[in-house]
Amino acid sequence: MAVEADRVRFSWALEGQGTGRRQSAYQLLVSDLRELQWDSGRVESEWSTDVAYEGPPLRAAQEYRWQVRVWDEGGRPGPWSQGSFETGLGEAGFRGAAWIGLGRGELGFDVPSGDGLGDLVVLSMKPAPYFRRVFRVEKEIAKARLYATALGVYELSLNGLRVGDAVLAPGWTDYNRRCLYQTYDVTRLLVPGDNVLGAVVADGWACGYVGFDAKRRAAHYASDPLLLALLVVRYTDGSEERVPTDERWMSSTGAVVYADLLMGERRELVFEPKGWDQVGYDASSWAPASCREVSARSLVADPGPPVRVQEEVSPKRLVALPTGSLIADFGQNLAGWVRLKAHGPQARVVEVRHGEMLNPDGTLYVENLRTARQTDSYVTTGGENVLEPRFTFHGFRYAEISGLDGTSGPEDISACVVHSDIARTGYFDCSSKLVNRLYSNIDWSQRANFINVPTDCPQRDERLGWLGDAQIFARTAAYNRDVAAFFSKWLDDVADAQLSSGAFSDFAPRMGYDWAGAPAWADAGVIVPWTMYKMYGDKGVLERHFNAMVSWMDFVSAHNPSRLWTSHLGNNYGDWLSPKGDSTPRELLATAYWAYDATLMAEISEAIGLPGRADEYRRLAGEIRAAFQEAYVRADGRIESGTQTAYVLALNMGLVPDDLRAITASRLVRAIAEEDWHISTGFVGVGYILPVLSSNGYSDVAYRLLEQRSYPSWLYSVERGATTIWERWDGWTAERGFQSPKMNSFNHYSLGSVGEWLYRFVLGIELAPGAAGFNRLLLRPHPGGSLSYAQGWFRSVRGVISSSWVRQDGQFTFEVELPPNVTASVHVPSADPEEVVGPGGARPERIGDYPGAFGQREAVFEIGSGRSSFRGPEPLAAPLLEAQSEQQARLVLEP
Ligand code: BGC
């Protein structure tokens, strides 16, 4: 509902019986409620994702129907599909509506901030404005739409009923440039005669505390919360009624004494004006809302998924502290809030504090929250009260609850899990419980941090849309969950945050900070759109941001004529949080990323039909590669500094001459062996290390890192009870306890970027080279480590792709299922590939070298849609292979 007219694109997925089913052509029809607007005609193409609308301009606020049909591999047409969409209000759409705020001044409440860093700051917090407007419906309604946005976060009601089920709307953008509005179908909520529209608007990202600045007054965008809304009622006689926000709305305050994303929310239920959102309420004490001048900014239909309460988690354990308060352990670190039921005859003060960990004495650990207070409090009315905040969120596994009388039990306490509505699209399971827990931790960290913007962490005073974290995790994110719309929205934020120099910012929205151009952070401006294109086949995202990417490339090129990125490196974070400190030269890292950008830009230019540009970027990539080799690659295959990250970047970004690749890869293995088979990368190397190992003959080493249990390793935190990915490899250790509270989140997805390897390599669900949107696959499982089986699936834009393998009794069985319109070449590793049998007894089409292990061979089959199974002698064991590869053995063992 309400898509911007210039962003209308169509995708469909097919179903079909049998095998080898394909689309050979399609036809799209778009009509308004009266007549046909666009007929694509029969288009001979297998493309089924993000097909752009090409008819006459679509009108604003209109409902359209769209249909598609396809012809199959035999030229037979299928039935027409049915779908509909509605366009947004358009530029002038909010005509007549004013931004409204509270009509009279309100006293603030002084609240201390969190004191995680020892210095408590007193913040003055203000009550959330309440707005109401009475209007009449005189005629028969055809349909009604409510459009709304805010500087703050809002909740709307009509006749006392909640409008929609989104929370924290309108989300976070650079409100000075772009405000997103949401559209609601409220046809059923209206009644004949008098109706009441209600709204509560809290500080949110626009007026509250955001980022690491509690010591400064926050309010990056506005000093107090404002609402902009428009109700449009269409009557069956064709006439229309508009109810815009203006001075006819009345304003007051209520139970929400204050609400802030970082500090928490306070509700004093006695202050709630009873019936304020319904007809018949006496609003004579309310003041007319004040209309505010707000400078021009674009109002855009929200392209992202709403944030919603996704599930409720019951406490696994309740422990009473000597102070009388309760510690609720939800068994899972998450983002959201606690919902409570309080009983008892008397009014009381109830307080809920939130933390990710406990101190050794069982009390709540809050030091790592820094100044984020994460505390909700209530004054109840007596009787039964449901206590729940609506305009804040917290990162927590534990809650300390005080003030409940003894009558509340576990059934009265739950944690509401809150995040953007990104549906699960992937699943992974294998024979290792620890690896399965790691997989779950990755998904939970994604869930906790995909709250309108991809943030670094959901708990401390930070929660920013860091570009470095987002780019390293984007591919994992897109396997786990449907993030197409989520990133589409955030990439507009990234574009809004770009400096006029062309430098992409360190985080987006950037709230007035001019931090920009940091290697591996700013590069997200190229890497994330490209990742979305690869994962979803969406060329629209590339087209929309192409100019921004070009300015970025021009910026780096202009300042670095030597083709080593040594100048204009911004905050230059290096291989952030590597246990080896700053040992990877920052300029090496930067240059590798620049080369990567150039390579991707060539591919992007090609994809959107700009072959000339593609040539330019290929040339640039060649120049950077040459400069990199000259500066950092030694004749013996060593990469300057010899860190794992240096090797990984050089290999992943294609910067090692072909004849040195094998030896460079073996040096990476040696660098790992020197750490006694532990990982030592930070955020930047972590996402590529296992893919690089598996692509260069060392899947056995990749598994060794994956299954490593001592520090530093992924399973180290898992064995210490982690339920999300830690920011640091050593967030907590038995020897030292907690890392410095200055920067120690237990819910940071960056190190979880290993997730893509589980899908792409362990399960082998990988795009074929050059493919996008999973039309063509390369299914190559990488069995190894302790795993006796692995299974999982990925719901691609073309349908569900599933993969499972088992090693048993010397046999390896690989089973896959593909949706229609997807083809794959299947590569089955085996000690004797000639013996591998495919569907219906098929023999391999060819035998090749298997890139996951030296000396290993693979049987190759070509398949189409449907279920296929392959079986043959299992692959050779790794030690046998090691012995076969003398060169490898020598390099690994020699000092
Ligand atoms: C954040 C990171 C971010 C980094 C920049 C940290 O404070 O938590 O995740 O990428 O700053 O280096």
Side-chain angles (χ1 to χ4, degrees), residues 212 370 455-457 459-460 462-470 506-507 515 518 521 571-574 576-577 683 727 742-745 748-750:
F212 27 50
R370 305 196 304 214
T455 55
D456 55 338
C457 56
Q459 74 297 86
R460 69 177 176 225
E462 184 144 9
R463 311 185 188 184
L464 296 173
W466 286 97
L467 271 71
D469 308 44
D506 293 7
F507 45 79
W515 300 358
W521 269 253
N571 280 340
N572 201 5
Y573 301 105
W576 189 248
L577 298 182
F683 281 20
E727 176 175 26
K742 286 195 176 136
M743 208 179 70
N744 194 24
S745 136
H748 242 71
Y749 50 61
S750 297

Side-chain angles (χ1 to χ4, degrees), residues 147-410:
Y147 303 91
T149 187
L151 291 175
V153 286
Y154 71 80
E155 219 176 79
L156 299 169
S157 62
L158 232 175
N159 299 322
L161 296 173
R162 178 99 201 272
V163 172
D165 58 358
V167 298
L168 303 175
W172 185 14
T173 56
D174 179 348
Y175 305 104
N176 295 325
R177 305 177 66 124
R178 179 192 306 264
C179 292
L180 302 179
Y181 64 86
Q182 289 71 38
T183 305
Y184 306 94
D185 180 354
V186 291
T187 316
R188 297 233 169 87
L189 295 178
L190 291 169
V191 294
D194 279 348
N195 286 264
V196 179
L197 258 173
V200 181
V201 190
D203 287 358
W205 291 276
C207 320
Y209 286 89
V210 189
F212 27 50
D213 62 356
K215 284 182 216 88
R216 293 204 265 133
R217 181 60 185 135
H220 294 279
Y221 307 97
S223 55
D224 62 328
L226 303 181
L227 175 73
L228 180 75
L230 173 68
L231 171 71
V232 182
V233 183
R234 294 240 169 94
Y235 294 117
T236 47
D237 66 4
S239 63
E240 189 182 277
E241 181 102 52
R242 291 162 72 92
V243 183
T245 39
D246 57 19
E247 69 294 336
R248 283 174 288 180
W249 289 57
M250 301 301 285
S251 67
S252 186
T253 56
V256 186
V257 172
Y258 64 80
D260 182 272
L261 297 177
L262 294 181
M263 303 305 160
E265 187 163 325
R266 181 173 178 90
R267 290 183 174 240
E268 302 202 9
L269 303 188
V270 276
F271 291 156
E272 188 71 351
K274 236 188 149 94
W276 70 274
D277 48 2
Q278 293 176 45
V279 175
Y281 174 76
D282 173 13
S284 54
S285 63
W286 289 41
S290 77
C291 296
R292 308 290 177 83
E293 270 313 311
V294 165
S295 59
R297 55 200 70 205
S298 43
L299 296 169
V300 181
D302 186 355
V307 178
R308 292 195 169 100
V309 175
Q310 302 286 335
E311 69 178 279
E312 276 188 63
V313 178
S314 302
K316 301 285 165 296
R317 218 161 42 102
L318 285 179
V319 180
L321 293 178
T323 55
S325 42
L326 277 181
I327 293 276
D329 173 2
F330 294 98
Q332 175 61 56
N333 200 13
L334 54 89
W337 56 66
V338 172
R339 181 181 286 164
L340 293 175
K341 261 191 223 131
H343 318 270
Q346 266 156 26
R348 53 184 63 246
V349 178
V350 176
E351 191 176 80
V352 188
R353 299 164 71 224
H354 305 78
E356 295 180 287
M357 300 290 258
L358 295 180
N359 289 309
D361 65 359
T363 56
L364 199 67
Y365 174 73
V366 291
E367 278 71 19
N368 68 331
L369 305 178
R370 305 196 304 214
T371 60
R373 192 161 176 262
Q374 289 214 131
T375 301
D376 298 330
S377 59
Y378 308 89
V379 179
T380 69
T381 56
E384 182 168 307
N385 290 147
V386 175
L387 308 177
E388 173 183 28
R390 296 305 262 270
F391 304 110
T392 188
F393 67 89
H394 315 296
F396 65 102
R397 166 175 170 168
Y398 302 95
E400 185 193 318
I401 307 166
S402 58
L404 285 183
D405 71 359
T407 57
S408 296

Side-chain angles (χ1 to χ4, degrees), residues 491-522:
L491 285 170
D492 292 342
D493 301 333
V494 170
D496 286 347
Q498 189 176 28
L499 301 193
S500 54
S501 64
F504 284 117
S505 57
D506 293 7
F507 45 79
R510 70 178 163 88
M511 301 189 299
Y513 287 82
D514 59 2
W515 300 358
W521 269 253

Side-chain angles (χ1 to χ4, degrees), residues 785-852:
S786 73
L787 305 194
S788 58
Y789 78 86
Q791 59 182 1
W793 47 263
F794 169 56
R795 183 183 299 279
S796 77
V797 280
R798 294 201 173 203
V800 177
I801 298 157
S802 64
S803 153
S804 78
W805 55 256
V806 190
R807 327 173 61 137
Q808 205 179 15
D809 306 328
Q811 290 287 301
F812 181 70
T813 311
F814 182 44
E815 282 178 359
V816 297
E817 188 164 1
L818 304 185
N821 213 22
V822 173
T823 58
S825 83
V826 179
H827 297 237
V828 186
S830 176
D832 193 353
E834 307 280 356
E835 290 304 306
V836 178
V837 181
R843 290 280 148 200
E845 288 182 32
R846 56 200 162 81
I847 306 295
D849 287 334
Y850 175 71

